[in-house]
Amino acid sequence: MTPSPLVEARNVRKHFGAHHVLKGIDLEVRRGEVMCLLGPSGSGKSTFLRCINHLEKVDGGRIHVDGELMGYEEHASRKGRAREMKPKQIAAQRRSIGMVFQRFNLFPHLTALGNITEAPVGVAHHSRADARARGMELLRRVGLTDHAGAYPAHLSGGQQQRVAIARALAMEPKLMLFDEPTSALDPELVGDVLSVMRDLARSGMTMIVVTHEIGFAREVADQVVFMDDGIVVESGAPSRVIDDPRHERTRAFLDSVL
Amino acid sequence: MTATDMTVKSTAGADDVDAVPRSHPGRWITAAALVALCAGWVLSLWNNRNIDHATIADFLFDGRILQGVLLTVGLTACSMLLATTLAVALAVMRLSANPVLRVVSWGYTWFFRGTPLLVQIVFWGYLGLLYEKISLGIPFTSIHFFSANTNTIVTPFVAGLLALGMNEAAYASEIVRAGLLSVDHGQVEAAHSLGMSPTYTLRRIIVPQAMRVIIPPMGNETISMLKNTALLQLIAVPELYTRASWISAQNLSQVELLIVASAWYLVLTSVLSVPQYYLERRYGRGAGRSLPTTPWQQARHTATRIRTRVAQVAHTNPRNARTEADS
């Protein structure tokens, strides 16, 4: 028997007003797999990513992470309808999903180490000493041991993004979501962040990455998904989708970015 | 600039020039004129026969005045505490998704900001005329947990406290709201993505960042509040100004006691700016590239600078010492 996928999305739909952002997305991510979402801006890939940890509400369809329906509860008596969960339940579900943002979103009033230990201490109730030890270990993993006491304003964009990755990892997530993690970085800083992500992928972390870094997708991804206009145009191994695209839209997009 | 720089400068050749700062005679003239004006005014007060300096000295530390000072400080602290608590609640209500909470918060601000503080103070002072009894119970039933005569609960002190605190809450809620709105929405998303609950996010992520924006105007409000306590003279709260006016009503030294009261208000407002400075430093962490220096650090820095300057001047020739002094 094949193990169940870690992430399973079925017919996910979403509107922003009259704009139909997601027109029914079906995707599966297996445990330990890296999936890269490619597509032009406005194609709905970031919105879909944010639906996975319920930063965006969906209008219909379901997203299961590790067998749990995200953000909604179904009642046997109300078939076909699911009600949004209470904020506390949603918060509990999000603890096992790490997220890294395009604009880093580090907490500016906390040091690098403070950013990493805030959630483990305040949310997961680990002891301060344990959280600090684990935080230092994570800073070592992202190559920033010397910057534990630095505030985000004193760090470069690349360093901030690596702290943000460490912060997400501190909650020991089973899934990591990356929303264009290198798009706000100066070109010479992109490499450091990508190499941290590459190490993470090698360590067996399940990752969904929205990116424009085609080279990274080709090298690291197990599955590449090309989205356009709210639908999945094609998906498959990187060698298939990137090097031998079947659809005209995929070909046009790849031509424009490569 | 170090002593070696100075010697390099003096070796400038024929095709080179030394840069000398422009002189500013205008600055000197304006400064001198202003100093003369201020000196004249101080002198006119000092030599004024209508002011009895001995009376000022007598009453500056009079027991009744000191009691008034104490009550003024106490009233300021209590009303600011009440105002801040109410303001946070009002600001959170105003930003809430519940339309009833939003409207109630808006209505509160509309009413308390839209009527004069003086009128509100008198209103609270005469609350007994509006409600003879105050009781707590379930509306539209005969169940009462507690009931009492209005004038025994709402003493002049309580009336003053409520008037000042509730009026200030209307202004402070807008300051708090501005502070909360100044925090980037990405912070909320990052906090939520880590599994923080809405309350935890507000308490640990949003409020500490909002404080940076909230504290400077709240310092202003505290100073306003301190001075507004003088309005409570109207409902006979025995604070500083009330006490001063009672004394002057007896001894007819109005001007002297006004000066005594003003001196105390100035001392208190000056003292208040100290905690504000340190609070701003505390919540400014991580905001800029470096924290502002404390006055103590500044003093030490200035002392070091003067010492090196003196050492420099002693080591360089007279010509360069002069250009250095001009700058």
Side-chain angles (χ1 to χ4, degrees), chain A residues 50 53 55 87-88 91-92 94-95 97-99 101 105-110 118-119 122-123 151 153-154 167-168 171, chain B residues 184-200 204-206 208-209 283 285-290:
Chain A
R50 292 156 57 82
N53 66 352
L55 282 182
K88 280 218 156 140
R94 284 178 179 140
R95 273 165 219 170
I97 304 174
M99 186 161 197
F101 300 86
N105 296 353
L106 287 182
F107 306 131
H109 60 302
L110 301 176
E118 182 64 38
V123 174
Y151 286 98
H154 300 197
R167 175 176 72 174
M171 290 297 281
Chain B
D184 179 41
H185 189 66
Q187 294 291 308
V188 178
E189 294 195 338
H192 283 179
S193 79
L194 287 163
M196 296 177 188
S197 69
T199 1
Y200 188 92
R204 294 284 301 177
I205 306 299
I206 308 299
Q209 292 182 57
Y283 287 103
R285 284 178 316 178
R289 293 249 153 204
S290 61

Side-chain angles (χ1 to χ4, degrees), chain A residues 6 66 92-99 116 119-120 124 126 130-131 133-135 137-138 141 165-176 200 205-206, chain B residues 193-194:
Chain A
L6 185 66
D66 209 7
Q93 282 190 329
R94 284 178 179 140
R95 273 165 219 170
S96 55
I97 304 174
M99 186 161 197
I116 297 171
H126 293 183
D130 284 354
R134 169 119 177 93
E137 162 61 21
L138 284 165
R141 245 173 100 178
I165 295 173
R167 175 176 72 174
L169 290 175
M171 290 297 281
E172 293 174 347
K174 47 193 173 196
L175 170 68
M176 284 285 284
L200 192 59
M205 176 64 75
T206 313
Chain B
S193 79
L194 287 163

Side-chain angles (χ1 to χ4, degrees), chain B:
Chain B
M1 198 178 272
T2 64
T4 40
D5 287 331
M6 309 294 307
T7 45
V8 169
K9 203 158 113 184
S10 64
T11 61
D15 54 349
D16 198 0
V17 289
D18 284 347
V20 177
R22 198 156 62 82
S23 61
H24 296 282
R27 284 185 196 170
W28 287 98
I29 295 166
T30 333
L34 267 175
V35 168
L37 248 151
C38 292
W41 180 62
V42 170
L43 213 66
S44 79
L45 283 179
W46 190 251
N47 295 330
N48 195 322
R49 282 164 194 285
N50 295 326
I51 300 175
D52 179 6
H53 300 283
T55 312
I56 296 178
D58 280 349
F59 282 103
L60 201 53
F61 297 102
D62 183 274
R64 288 165 289 176
I65 291 290
L66 292 183
Q67 270 183 310
V69 169
L70 215 64
L71 189 65
T72 292
V73 171
L75 264 169
T76 309
C78 293
S79 354
M80 278 315 282
L81 200 71
L82 174 67
T84 313
T85 318
L86 270 174
V88 172
L90 285 167
V92 172
M93 279 166 72
R94 186 74 188 274
L95 298 172
S96 144
N98 186 334
V100 176
L101 293 187
R102 281 205 304 270
V103 168
V104 168
S105 168
W106 179 86
Y108 180 99
T109 310
W110 169 78
F111 182 79
F112 282 94
R113 222 167 45 167
T115 53
L117 175 57
L118 198 66
V119 173
Q120 288 174 28
I121 289 171
V122 178
F123 226 106
W124 283 105
Y126 291 113
L127 193 68
L129 297 180
L130 184 61
Y131 298 104
E132 284 152 32
K133 272 173 179 275
I134 291 177
S135 55
L136 190 67
I138 301 171
F140 312 116
T141 66
S142 56
I143 302 166
H144 289 288
F145 304 117
F146 150 94
S147 182
N149 195 312
T150 302
N151 288 334
T152 54
I153 305 174
V154 185
T155 59
F157 177 86
V158 173
L161 178 72
L162 288 173
L164 292 175
M166 291 183 73
N167 178 268
E168 178 55 35
Y171 291 91
S173 75
E174 290 292 284
I175 293 172
V176 173
R177 188 166 71 98
L180 295 178
L181 287 175
S182 75
V183 180
D184 179 41
H185 189 66
Q187 294 291 308
V188 178
E189 294 195 338
H192 283 179
S193 79
L194 287 163
M196 296 177 188
S197 69
T199 1
Y200 188 92
T201 306
L202 185 72
R203 190 166 57 80
R204 294 284 301 177
I205 306 299
I206 308 299
V207 169
Q209 292 182 57
M211 286 304 256
R212 201 167 58 81
V213 176
I214 292 173
I215 284 171
M218 281 306 273
N220 241 351
E221 295 295 311
T222 311
I223 284 170
S224 279
M225 175 67 83
L226 184 91
K227 294 173 303 173
N228 284 343
T229 54
L231 293 173
L232 300 184
Q233 189 240 17
L234 211 68
I235 56 169
V237 177
E239 48 72 55
L240 175 56
Y241 176 65
T242 312
R243 300 255 182 193
S245 68
W246 285 350
I247 296 169
S248 63
Q250 289 170 357
N251 68 5
L252 302 179
S253 304
Q254 275 89 356
V255 176
E256 288 77 3
L257 277 144
L258 282 179
I259 292 175
V260 166
S262 305
W264 273 111
Y265 283 117
L266 269 175
V267 167
L268 294 177
T269 49
S270 314
V271 169
L272 272 180
S273 56
V274 176
Q276 181 184 350
Y277 184 84
Y278 283 93
L279 273 174
E280 276 179 33
R281 252 179 76 83
R282 165 80 171 69
Y283 287 103
R285 284 178 316 178
R289 293 249 153 204
S290 61
L291 287 171
T293 49
T294 63
W296 172 238
Q297 285 170 332
Q298 275 168 19
R300 269 198 325 207
H301 188 72
T302 313
T304 327
R305 224 177 38 215
I306 291 171
R307 232 177 297 135
T308 44
R309 179 70 59 88
V310 168
Q312 250 175 44
V313 171
H315 278 92
T316 46
N317 62 45
R319 185 181 156 277
N320 277 325
R322 213 182 313 119
T323 47
E324 182 75 0
D326 284 346
S327 63

